[in-house]
Amino acid sequence: MNRITWTKSDEAPSLASYSLLPVVEAYCRAAGIEIEIRDISLAGRIIANFPDNLTSEQKQTDDLAYLGELVKQPEANVIKLPNISASIPQLENAIKELQEKGYNIPSYPHQIKTDKDRKLVERFAAVLGSAVNPVLREGNSDRRPAKAVKQFARKHPHGMVKPWPEQGSKADVAYMQEGDFYGSEQSVKLDKPCNAKIEFIGKDGSRKTLKDSLPLLEGEVADSAVMSADALENFYSEKMEFAKKEGLLLSLHLKATMMKVSDPIMFGHCVKVFLKDVIDKHSETFDSLGVNLNYGLENLFSKLEGLEPAEKQEIESDIRKAYENNPSLAMVDSRKGITNLHVPNNIIIDASMPNVVRDGGKMWNKDDQLQDTLALIPDRSYACIYQQIIEDCKENGQFNPAEMGSVSNVGLMAKKAEEYGSHDKTFEAEADGKIQVLSDAGEVLMSQSVSRGDIFRMCQAKDAPIKSWVELAVTRAREEGVPAVFWLDEERAHDREIIAKVKKYLPEFDTSGLTIEIMEPREAMKYSLKRVRRGENTISVTGNVLRDYLTDLFPILELGTSARMLSIVPLMNGGGLYETGAGGSAPKHVAQFLRENHLRWDSLGEYCALVPSLEKIAGRTGNKKAAILADALNKAISDYLENGKTPLRKAGEPDNRASTYFLAMYWAKHLSEQKEDLQMQERFAEVFSRLCENEPQIIQDLTKVQGSSADIGGYYKPEDKLAEKAMRPSEILNEIIEGV
């Protein structure tokens, strides 16, 4: 089928699509390719989840469910843009905006007092966190820099890296030595299928079912682990004292978006320890206000607005004392006083830790200066990889983007493969006792002792995706001719089971002449860094979390951004999913756009993803025009980079809209130069000519609108007409594209 499904998402990538999609649709139409748009935005997911509350005009189809079925079909060809993995504060802001637009969406219940509240929380769980990716990723991940992008990065290295101090750095990574998920993990391989359940058993013998149906397949690997709340708070307290003593900036690195149950709780414990004296003194007031520390300091500050002035001033004074008595916090925005602990989704580990490395072991302090930081990553499972790269930089200095090699990734993620505990299997213990995973025959598969407040989480990885992952690793090693390293720790229960499967399946594939290794993550990092510094490439073969972490870490160092990575998901039933990079910077770009009508978002990830998507159509259907489009686009991307047409930073300079214009021009240029299809050659020769001759007017149109605020009718749900008007301000460009 000659169809590409393009996802409507959120923030900057979504805004950029208003400019880019008309170009893609017009050029693809010339090859008989249809572009289908499906809405996976946060607002779209909320609306689709509450049809019974809405008018017929407001209702939307559940496009995420539609895509969940599509990716299981061999004809699937989906380009997936970054979307919001919503924290509760983001969810609440989106709900508020929809309510203001007249959508009868219920507010998120902060306290579960009734069955209605409980059902609402369960309903919103389908929208929170990483709700999209597990549905779409019906295949394992192949992430690497596009060749044109890597060549350009070496030829024109980004200038964002800062030197590590020659006199030495105090920067470090701190993690727990006991009481964490790593230390408590249990893992089993299922010898036969069963329908399991998760049950809490109190010390008094009371029983409560936490999850009543959990189908497990033969050969599946299931894990459980517990984070001790007491051990976590002791860890935070100890490291805060250490950071204060050593004059280090304190920074907390979690992923409260993807890990939407466990990590907000872990975040809240850090806020609790930081404000211990304040909470002890004002606990009754905070309880009466409904303060939830899991939502961060912003939640506390907003609740104080309801107090009498004198009481509010007293609490604010006590909070200032807490700031003075504790180590300085890493800042998100020092001008506005927004710290690392403001909201849980401001600092996300996969994007924040690469910046610590890039900035010489430092983060920004309250004086808007870079300062050595102590990075808190409570769980040991992967904190060590960041400690290892920091140790390497202390010894060998900063990386050189002009010379460094690449670390691409083959990631296990098909069929919701997990290694970190899924949201629907994560629980906060309400009392002392134990949490067990039981088969339908009553067999205890796993049992974890818990104390009140401890975090239990369980995860699972099916056998077929693991075998497919091993095969993909061998395939990529063969294609690239470089070593492939499985990052697996024999000391970790989950990894032992995965190692056994890797050793079982590797002999089924041709590994002759290949270097395939299994290494503990810290050793794998050492091995990869040595090769990176020699300019050599390596393939990391990892589970889902390290896939996430490494495909931000190395691209940010070598390319300046992970948004420039090629992210291909070969779907297990034959289709293709093409992801377009990371959206971590998207909120800042939207803020600038709304303020100055200047969009800095670089759509290079979308350009790059479209190439293999078109190649997929050509290979599956024999559509030669699709192959021509793909080849011309690949060449256009090289021109786009070589000629420096990426968006500039300041209002009045060429932004995303100009970048899309130049991409369209270069794409038309190469289509007009090809000799394989004379009809396309003739058609795009005229397009290229008109785009060139009107360049001064088009660029003037695209830049003269900048400098003042932009009105698009909403943040989470922009008005299409307003957003399109803002992103397509050149009438002559629009006329040329629509004439294709």
Side-chain angles (χ1 to χ4, degrees):
M1 186 182 294
N2 288 300
R3 178 188 293 167
I4 294 171
T5 302
W6 187 282
T7 57
K8 179 180 180 180
S9 59
D10 301 286
E11 298 177 321
S14 181
L15 271 178
S17 287
Y18 285 102
S19 175
L20 175 59
L21 254 180
V23 175
V24 174
E25 289 173 322
Y27 284 47
C28 285
R29 197 178 302 122
I33 298 170
E34 174 193 352
I35 304 296
E36 172 191 44
I37 301 171
R38 291 287 174 169
D39 187 356
I40 60 167
S41 68
L42 175 57
R45 298 186 331 252
I46 294 170
I47 292 168
N49 209 28
F50 288 92
D52 44 323
N53 292 60
L54 306 176
T55 67
S56 57
E57 292 79 15
Q58 292 174 329
K59 290 180 182 179
Q60 288 185 198
T61 58
D62 190 342
D63 283 355
L64 181 57
Y66 166 86
L67 291 174
E69 292 304 311
L70 177 62
V71 293
K72 298 173 185 175
Q73 308 306 316
E75 67 270 18
N77 190 321
V78 181
I79 293 182
K80 188 261 178 187
L81 279 66
N83 63 278
I84 291 175
S85 293
S87 64
I88 289 176
Q90 287 173 303
L91 174 67
E92 290 183 314
N93 289 336
I95 292 170
K96 182 181 178 183
E97 181 177 313
L98 289 172
Q99 290 171 340
E100 290 170 351
K101 288 176 178 286
Y103 288 81
N104 184 28
I105 305 294
S107 298
Y108 186 85
H110 288 289
Q111 295 178 321
I112 301 176
K113 297 180 178 178
T114 65
D115 284 342
K116 183 181 178 181
D117 293 337
R118 186 171 291 103
K119 289 177 181 177
L120 265 182
V121 168
E122 291 172 357
R123 203 165 178 181
F124 277 120
V127 178
L128 278 167
S130 189
V132 172
N133 291 339
V135 175
L136 300 188
R137 289 171 172 169
E138 282 287 315
N140 293 309
S141 170
D142 172 10
R143 286 193 176 184
R144 59 188 187 273
K147 288 184 179 179
V149 172
K150 182 60 178 178
Q151 289 168 0
F152 176 80
R154 281 192 155 181
K155 194 173 177 181
H156 306 280
H158 68 89
M160 289 185 282
V161 291
K162 296 177 175 63
W164 279 71
E166 292 183 4
Q167 68 274 22
S169 168
K170 287 186 174 182
D172 204 356
V173 174
Y175 46 89
M176 298 168 69
Q177 300 300 315
E178 59 182 1
D180 60 350
F181 292 120
Y182 180 96
S184 62
E185 189 172 59
Q186 300 174 11
S187 186
V188 294
K189 178 176 72 70
L190 276 294
D191 295 326
K192 57 185 178 181
C194 71
N195 188 24
K197 68 176 180 178
I198 303 175
E199 186 177 64
F200 170 75
I201 304 172
K203 282 197 169 182
D204 59 359
S206 61
R207 307 176 83 94
K208 180 179 180 180
T209 299
L210 302 178
K211 190 170 183 65
D212 60 2
S213 180
L214 185 57
L216 299 174
L217 303 179
E218 182 179 350
E220 190 161 356
V221 175
D223 314 321
S224 68
V226 169
M227 168 69 74
S228 163
D230 287 342
L232 178 63
E233 290 191 4
N234 289 337
F235 163 75
Y236 285 143
S237 179
E238 176 188 328
K239 296 308 173 185
M240 286 179 192
E241 289 180 14
F242 176 80
K244 177 77 172 177
K245 177 183 175 184
E246 295 295 321
L248 288 165
L249 204 60
L250 189 78
S251 56
L252 176 64
H253 302 263
L254 297 167
K255 188 145 189 175
T257 50
M258 182 171 75
M259 305 305 302
K260 62 186 178 183
V261 178
S262 62
D263 283 28
I265 297 171
M266 293 162 67
F267 183 91
H269 281 291
C270 191
V271 178
K272 178 182 174 183
V273 172
F274 190 83
L275 295 181
K276 183 180 184 304
D277 293 341
V278 182
I279 293 167
D280 288 346
K281 181 177 178 182
H282 302 284
S283 60
E284 289 185 8
T285 301
F286 290 170
D287 287 344
S288 67
L289 292 173
V291 171
N292 189 330
L293 298 178
N294 295 355
Y295 301 164
L297 292 171
E298 182 182 57
N299 178 262
L300 170 57
F301 294 143
S302 67
K303 298 291 186 183
L304 296 182
E305 296 301 319
L307 293 176
E308 293 295 326
E311 188 175 10
K312 178 187 173 187
Q313 289 173 9
E314 180 187 357
I315 294 175
E316 287 177 338
S317 174
D318 290 337
I319 291 173
R320 284 193 293 272
K321 289 177 185 175
Y323 276 99
E324 293 168 4
N325 295 333
N326 277 299
S328 297
L329 291 173
M331 303 299 292
V332 173
D333 190 335
S334 55
R335 293 168 299 176
K336 297 179 180 179
I338 298 176
T339 74
N340 185 174
L341 300 183
H342 200 65
V343 293
N345 55 282
N346 269 348
I347 291 184
I348 304 297
I349 183 171
D350 49 323
S352 59
M353 282 306 298
N355 290 345
V356 171
V357 178
R358 183 198 66 188
D359 291 342
K362 303 173 187 289
M363 292 187 75
W364 296 98
N365 62 24
K366 65 182 187 317
D367 300 319
D368 207 25
Q369 300 293 317
L370 286 169
Q371 180 179 339
D372 285 350
T373 190
L374 178 65
L376 305 185
I377 307 175
D379 183 54
R380 278 175 286 172
S381 297
Y382 304 113
C384 59
I385 69 157
Y386 292 116
Q387 185 182 50
Q388 182 58 49
I389 194 170
I390 283 178
E391 289 177 3
D392 179 272
C393 288
K394 286 180 179 180
E395 181 178 348
N396 300 304
Q398 188 57 273
F399 297 94
N400 183 351
E403 298 177 355
M404 66 187 295
S406 294
V407 178
S408 57
N409 182 264
V410 172
L412 173 61
M413 65 180 193
K415 300 288 184 184
K416 302 182 181 180
E418 306 150 356
E419 57 176 312
Y420 49 76
S422 184
H423 325 302
D424 64 340
K425 298 182 285 291
T426 301
F427 305 96
E428 190 173 21
E430 57 188 52
D432 295 354
K434 57 186 176 181
I435 297 178
Q436 295 185 336
V437 181
L438 303 167
S439 73
D440 44 11
E443 177 188 2
V444 177
L445 301 176
M446 291 174 283
S447 180
Q448 297 278 6
S449 296
V450 293
S451 298
R452 179 180 171 83
D454 289 354
I455 307 166
F456 169 94
R457 62 189 194 190
M458 180 188 165
C459 59
Q460 50 193 122
K462 295 175 175 60
D463 186 60
I466 296 172
K467 183 176 181 179
S468 175
W469 172 62
V470 173
E471 181 180 17
L472 181 58
V474 173
T475 300
R476 294 295 305 136
R478 177 77 59 196
E479 290 174 353
E480 295 293 315
V482 301
V485 180
F486 287 85
W487 295 43
L488 295 167
D489 183 359
E490 186 75 47
E491 297 300 311
R492 185 180 166 198
H494 165 86
D495 284 10
R496 281 197 297 274
E497 294 292 348
I498 302 298
I499 288 171
K501 285 184 176 289
V502 171
K503 290 180 176 179
K504 173 185 175 182
Y505 290 129
L506 270 176
E508 297 187 20
F509 308 107
D510 179 14
T511 60
S512 58
L514 303 181
T515 299
I516 310 275
E517 305 280 0
I518 299 174
M519 295 184 185
E520 178 269 324
R522 191 177 180 107
E523 292 302 313
M525 178 62 84
K526 282 184 185 178
Y527 176 85
S528 301
L529 291 177
K530 285 180 181 178
R531 293 181 58 82
V532 159
R533 290 190 182 275
R534 295 198 299 259
E536 298 171 345
N537 298 340
T538 314
I539 299 169
S540 60
V541 190
T542 72
N544 208 1
V545 173
L546 278 180
R547 170 202 58 79
D548 202 34
Y549 293 179
L550 297 181
T551 53
D552 270 323
L553 176 62
F554 287 104
I556 285 174
L557 296 175
E558 55 181 295
L559 308 177
T561 171
S562 58
R564 292 187 167 191
M565 286 288 277
L566 192 60
S567 182
I568 299 172
V569 182
L571 299 170
M572 292 181 68
N573 289 339
L577 174 68
Y578 308 95
E579 299 182 300
T580 71
S585 59
K588 293 181 180 178
H589 291 173
V590 177
Q592 183 183 14
F593 180 79
L594 295 176
R595 186 174 64 249
E596 302 174 346
N597 201 347
H598 179 89
L599 186 62
R600 279 174 50 200
W601 176 260
D602 186 356
S603 293
L604 179 61
E606 288 90 297
Y607 308 157
C608 289
L610 189 55
V611 174
S613 173
L614 290 166
E615 290 172 341
K616 182 76 171 179
I617 287 178
R620 189 179 68 238
T621 68
N623 184 338
K624 293 181 180 179
K625 291 179 186 291
I628 292 169
L629 275 180
D631 182 63
L633 178 55
N634 200 41
K635 292 173 181 175
I637 292 169
S638 293
D639 289 350
Y640 168 81
L641 292 169
E642 286 294 336
N643 293 321
K645 300 305 182 184
T646 55
L648 299 179
R649 298 174 65 87
K650 296 179 181 178
E653 298 177 328
D655 70 349
N656 176 276
R657 293 166 284 200
S659 295
T660 290
Y661 157 69
F662 283 113
L663 189 280
M665 183 173 72
Y666 297 140
W667 197 359
K669 170 179 179 283
H670 290 289
L671 287 168
S672 71
E673 292 175 347
Q674 55 82 29
K675 310 294 186 186
E676 298 174 56
D677 189 303
L678 297 181
Q679 184 185 28
M680 290 183 76
Q681 181 191 60
E682 182 179 346
R683 174 180 294 188
F684 283 97
E686 181 183 354
V687 174
F688 176 55
S689 174
R690 294 198 66 200
L691 287 171
C692 288
E693 69 188 31
N694 288 284
E695 179 179 337
Q697 182 63 53
I698 291 170
I699 294 301
Q700 182 182 343
D701 291 344
L702 298 179
T703 53
K704 71 181 181 182
V705 297
Q706 300 181 37
S708 56
S709 61
D711 178 16
I712 55 173
Y715 184 95
Y716 294 95
K717 186 173 174 54
E719 299 294 333
D720 286 337
K721 288 183 179 179
L722 290 175
E724 185 173 353
K725 181 180 178 182
M727 289 303 297
R728 303 188 72 199
S730 173
E731 290 186 12
I732 183 63
L733 175 59
N734 299 344
E735 186 262 317
I736 294 170
I737 295 303
E738 286 158 12
V740 175

